């Protein structure tokens, strides 16, 4: 059974290479942080992990339900991303329907090069994320 047609999908793409430009072998895992309900079709989408294997170029493409689709409940959930290869990271992303194609490089966090592993985001990005989190948590 396919995902019900009334849900907005976002195509997530990405390419991973090492510092020498060689393609990375591994997987990228996408897990919704919530069990979703398609409110118009009364279908429950369990938050199982979608595993995508990188191709010979270190690339992938995967369609996912938009995180702000009004036909899905809850609205404004996030996806937990796990880069399953040496040096891979874990982080959360939003996939708004207004961006039907997203390159993971454009939405993944930048890691500080000071060795602390601290993440840097702009104040506007933080405020937007905090507002969406408040909606998701119902506070």
């Amino acid at each position: 059974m396919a995902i019900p047609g009334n849900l907005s999908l976002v195509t997530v793409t990405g390419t991973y290479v090492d510092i020498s430009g060689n393609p990375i072998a591994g997987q990228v895992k996408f897990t919704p942080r919530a069990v979703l309900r398609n409110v118009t079709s009364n279908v429950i989408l369990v938050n199982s992990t979608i595993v995508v294997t990188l191709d010979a170029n270190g690339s992938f493409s995967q369609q996912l339900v938009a995180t702000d689709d009004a036909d899905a409940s809850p609205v404004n959930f996030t996806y937990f991303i796990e880069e399953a290869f040496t040096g891979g990271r874990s982080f959360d992303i939003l996939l708004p329907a207004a961006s039907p194609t997203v390159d993971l490089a454009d939405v993944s966090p930048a890691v500080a090069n000071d060795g602390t592993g601290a993440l840097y985001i702009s104040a506007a990005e933080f405020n937007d994320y905090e507002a969406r989190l408040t909606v998701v948590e119902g506070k």
Side-chain angles (χ1 to χ4, degrees), residues 89 109-121:
R89 307 163 295 165
V111 178
N113 62 3
D114 61 3
T116 65
L119 300 178
Y120 293 102
I121 61 173

Side-chain angles (χ1 to χ4, degrees), residues 3-122:
I3 293 175
N6 66 321
L7 292 177
S8 300
L9 298 177
V10 175
T11 301
V12 182
T13 61
T15 301
Y16 291 89
V17 297
D18 66 19
I19 198 72
S20 299
N22 300 308
I24 296 293
Q27 300 172 324
V28 179
K29 300 177 181 181
F30 301 87
T31 307
R33 289 284 194 174
V35 172
L36 303 176
R37 182 173 69 91
N38 182 319
V39 297
T40 56
S41 300
N42 283 329
V43 174
I44 296 171
L45 299 150
V46 178
N47 59 338
S48 56
T49 300
I50 298 167
V51 180
V52 181
T53 300
L54 301 176
D55 66 17
N57 298 313
S59 300
F60 75 92
S61 178
Q62 177 65 46
Q63 284 192 316
L64 300 169
V65 174
T67 57
D68 63 349
D69 191 317
D71 290 325
S73 177
V75 177
N76 294 322
F77 67 96
T78 62
Y79 283 97
F80 176 69
I81 309 301
E82 180 184 359
E83 300 169 333
F85 47 79
T86 301
R89 307 163 295 165
S90 298
F91 52 92
D92 286 89
I93 62 169
L94 294 166
L95 294 174
S99 300
T101 302
V102 173
D103 193 300
L104 200 53
D106 294 332
V107 295
S108 63
V111 178
N113 62 3
D114 61 3
T116 65
L119 300 178
Y120 293 102
I121 61 173
S122 70

